[in-house]
Amino acid sequence: MGRLLQAGVLLASTVVLAGGVLYVRRHFGSSVDYRTFAGEPANLRSISGLFRLLRAGDPAAVIQLGAILLIATPVARVVFAVVGFALERDRFYVAVSLIVLAVLAASLFFSS
């Protein structure tokens, strides 16, 4: 389980670093206006828009993918815990892990 977390964080960090390098390369020398706030484009807030931007090679989409991978790492760990406890036939820890998974899913899908 620890290796899963290490691999997930390493993969997410690598993807974010690659996206950051691409972002700096694309926007090198451009000036930034710090007086106005510009949020993320709507395409980066949906899965379909993210994949469309990834296919186009948008560096911000690569960084966003790295952030999603970082969020998915502990969720994958809980899923593997459910499977592991189910294989061991430990019903109590399967139930506890499913509750944790439900809380994680609720926080991801119902947050504002």
Side-chain angles (χ1 to χ4, degrees):
M1 298 279 180
R3 295 282 182 214
L4 173 69
L5 292 174
Q6 287 175 343
V9 170
L10 186 62
L11 177 65
S13 301
T14 303
V15 170
V16 169
L17 179 64
V21 168
L22 292 172
Y23 189 87
V24 168
R25 216 171 104 202
R26 181 175 286 181
H27 296 285
F28 184 74
S30 62
S31 62
V32 179
D33 182 17
Y34 290 110
R35 288 176 276 170
T36 58
F37 176 76
E40 292 298 322
N43 286 342
L44 287 177
R45 293 186 212 144
S46 69
I47 298 296
S48 61
L50 178 66
F51 283 120
R52 194 173 21 255
L53 289 174
L54 281 171
R55 280 189 296 245
D58 185 23
V62 175
I63 295 170
Q64 186 80 349
L65 177 65
I68 289 172
L69 288 172
L70 189 63
I71 292 168
T73 299
V75 176
R77 190 249 183 254
V78 174
V79 169
F80 278 108
V82 169
V83 171
F85 291 134
L87 290 174
E88 292 178 4
R89 295 191 173 133
D90 192 342
R91 292 181 184 171
F92 177 75
Y93 284 111
V94 168
V96 169
S97 297
L98 285 173
I99 291 169
V100 170
L101 189 60
V103 169
L104 284 172
S107 68
L108 286 173
F109 293 120
F110 299 117
S111 64
S112 56

